[in-house]
Amino acid sequence: MKIKLDTDSFSIIGDSPQIREVFDIVSRAAGSQSTVMIYGESGTGKELIARALHLNSPRSSKPFIAVNCAAIPHDLLESELFGYEKGSFTGAVNNRIGRIELANQGTIFLDEIGDMPPVLQVKLLRVLAEREIDRIGGTKSIPIDIRVITATHRNLEVAIEKGQFREDLFYRLNIIPLNIPPLRERKTDIPLLANHFLKQCNGSSTPKTISDEAMSVLVNYSWPGNIRELANFVERMVVLSIGSNITPRDLPDKVLGEVPKEKWTPLEKELELEGNPAQMLQQSLKQSFHVGIPDEGINLKKTVEDFEKELLIEALEKTGWVKNKAATLLNLNRTTLVEKLKKLKITNPA
Ligand SMILES: Nc1ncnc2c1ncn2[C@@H]1O[C@H](COP(=O)(O)OP(=O)(O)OP(=O)(O)O)[C@@H](O)[C@H]1O
Ligand SMILES: [Mg+2]
């Protein structure tokens, strides 16, 4: 089944294996009635995915109603969700239909479900079990047909342990758990998203592009605010950058501070280090030789020797096996180089 990730109002961008897995679950879960609980850090696209689930379901022509349980004061949340009958409390001058009833035949998206107060958790549980709701002050139950999707950035298992969230409700809501990974764990999506937002911003001003160097900085930044942060960031860059091509020089210190220069692309380094071959070599070595230590450990002496051997051979090959030149490239004197070649049994294969 192919899912719709594009409508007049939004597109969902991403091609990383992680986001493809999310799309795959969306495509399989959309057609069912089961509750879906979406987990993800702030700005990862939880609401967008909830909309995609609705849009790809048989309920797509019916309402999609989103309620942010953390944004509505607790004492108002009950009447927002369940509605009330005229005269049921002071100020209830008319009947009011709640959001659950508004979502009838469609989908209700309960965002930040972890913030729902315990009394409402009980009421929601009843809606799920009985498929009917009671307006505040109402005398008869109203049958209801809704698909429920929830989202949270909190760990609900911890909330359950602390007695803040009902375990029985959790199991009813968590039939299909869907985890949206943070952007820093799916770096290949960053250029796609950045260019997507760039295109959106370019509509209203002179077209701008992001240089390869700036893009590699963006790819290596941690994006604590995830896609929302990236979208806002691109918009700001489009407005504030001076030329038509956004380069690392246009990026704020907050971002640059997190990404060391070795992680910029070689092009940027080459320009910067032009005329200083020794420094250039050092930079590229720093970048290309990172020896991780696996759980089973390493043989330090041998690893260092192999590393040294590789560098010596590279220097010799670069200089056509002229030892004086290779020694200069390695900042060694010739005798030291010759001793090392002997010790490591390196000979000219030619
Ligand atoms: N894959 C994506 N492709 C394009 N835009 C995206 C994608 N994911 C998220 N966005 C955009 O990023 C912004 C944040 O997404 P959304 O509101 O769905 O995230 P959220 O997880 O609900 O955030 P919060 O936890 O802050 O409520 C929105 O403007 C949304 O359109
Ligand atoms: Mg949200």
Side-chain angles (χ1 to χ4, degrees):
M1 175 184 167
K2 193 153 165 36
I3 47 165
K4 258 170 105 175
L5 297 171
D6 218 331
T7 69
D8 288 345
S9 52
F10 70 84
S11 326
I12 304 187
I13 309 292
D15 198 33
S16 61
Q18 294 88 329
I19 202 73
R20 276 168 176 273
E21 201 180 317
V22 171
F23 295 162
D24 185 44
I25 297 174
V26 169
S27 78
R28 282 182 287 150
S32 84
Q33 298 298 324
S34 307
T35 57
V36 178
M37 188 176 276
I38 306 174
Y39 297 88
E41 287 180 11
S42 170
T44 43
K46 297 187 290 295
E47 181 153 353
L48 213 60
I49 291 294
R51 283 181 191 278
L53 277 163
H54 172 72
L55 203 82
N56 287 279
S57 78
R59 298 170 177 263
S60 60
S61 61
K62 304 291 181 194
F64 173 88
I65 306 286
V67 183
N68 186 333
C69 302
I72 301 174
H74 283 183
D75 46 347
L76 294 184
L77 191 58
E78 182 174 9
S79 52
E80 265 314 303
L81 285 173
F82 295 88
Y84 49 79
E85 297 279 336
K86 184 176 170 181
S88 56
F89 54 85
T90 328
V93 286
N94 287 310
N95 289 347
R96 168 151 188 195
I97 296 180
R99 307 260 193 120
I100 296 179
E101 227 180 305
L102 282 176
N104 202 7
Q105 298 192 329
T107 304
I108 187 149
F109 173 51
L110 300 172
D111 203 354
E112 298 306 351
I113 186 74
D115 286 44
M116 182 177 269
V119 277
L120 296 192
Q121 292 177 28
V122 182
K123 286 194 84 169
L124 178 62
L125 196 60
R126 186 174 123 72
V127 173
L128 291 167
E130 313 289 336
R131 300 267 154 207
E132 53 187 29
I133 71 158
D134 299 310
R135 288 187 190 161
I136 302 170
T139 46
K140 59 176 191 328
S141 301
I142 302 162
I144 201 93
D145 166 25
I146 45 167
R147 167 98 185 265
V148 179
I149 301 175
T150 58
T152 177
H153 73 278
R154 287 175 57 182
N155 183 336
L156 287 187
E157 268 140 9
V158 172
I160 291 169
E161 266 171 32
K162 288 187 180 163
Q164 293 162 347
F165 202 82
R166 292 184 66 103
E167 195 170 10
D168 46 5
L169 179 61
F170 173 77
Y171 289 118
R172 276 212 178 252
L173 295 176
N174 195 47
I175 305 284
I176 302 174
L178 209 172
N179 184 34
I180 310 185
L183 206 43
R184 64 184 165 280
E185 287 175 18
R186 46 182 168 117
K187 288 182 180 292
T188 51
D189 288 340
I190 294 173
L192 299 178
L193 284 159
N195 284 322
H196 167 74
F197 296 129
L198 197 63
K199 231 193 266 165
Q200 282 184 345
C201 296
N202 276 341
S204 55
S205 60
T206 32
K208 296 211 175 179
T209 49
I210 300 176
S211 74
D212 289 351
E213 304 80 58
M215 192 64 92
S216 75
V217 175
L218 301 191
V219 166
N220 284 295
Y221 176 62
S222 64
W223 300 108
N226 292 290
I227 300 179
R228 179 172 297 109
E229 185 184 3
L230 177 62
N232 295 339
F233 179 88
V234 170
E235 187 178 341
R236 196 162 56 241
M237 284 298 101
V238 167
V239 176
L240 298 181
S241 67
I242 292 160
S244 63
N245 192 24
I246 299 166
T247 71
R249 277 172 266 299
D250 296 309
L251 306 180
D253 290 346
K254 182 183 159 206
V255 173
L256 287 174
E258 232 189 57
V259 184
K261 281 196 179 166
E262 299 92 81
K263 291 204 170 165
W264 298 10
T265 60
L267 178 67
E268 175 74 13
K269 284 206 316 296
E270 267 167 33
L271 292 174
E272 199 172 274
L273 303 170
E274 223 165 23
N276 188 345
Q279 198 188 342
M280 220 165 127
L281 180 68
Q282 251 179 22
Q283 283 280 4
S284 80
L285 291 178
K286 242 202 257 168
Q287 191 182 13
S288 49
F289 293 97
H290 173 76
V291 184
I293 303 184
D295 290 346
E296 63 275 17
I298 55 164
N299 178 334
L300 181 67
K301 193 160 173 274
K302 182 162 182 317
T303 309
V304 172
E305 262 181 24
D306 289 348
F307 185 35
E308 194 174 21
K309 208 166 165 175
E310 249 178 84
L311 292 178
L312 292 170
I313 293 174
E314 190 173 335
L316 286 160
E317 280 175 350
K318 255 188 177 347
T319 55
W321 289 80
V322 178
K323 289 186 187 118
N324 276 339
K325 285 189 184 168
T328 309
L329 209 50
L330 295 167
N331 274 303
L332 296 176
N333 62 41
R334 192 177 187 285
T335 331
T336 315
L337 175 70
V338 172
E339 273 168 15
K340 283 183 183 295
L341 297 181
K342 221 161 122 188
K343 188 176 136 220
L344 297 169
K345 300 191 179 66
I346 299 172
T347 51
N348 186 350

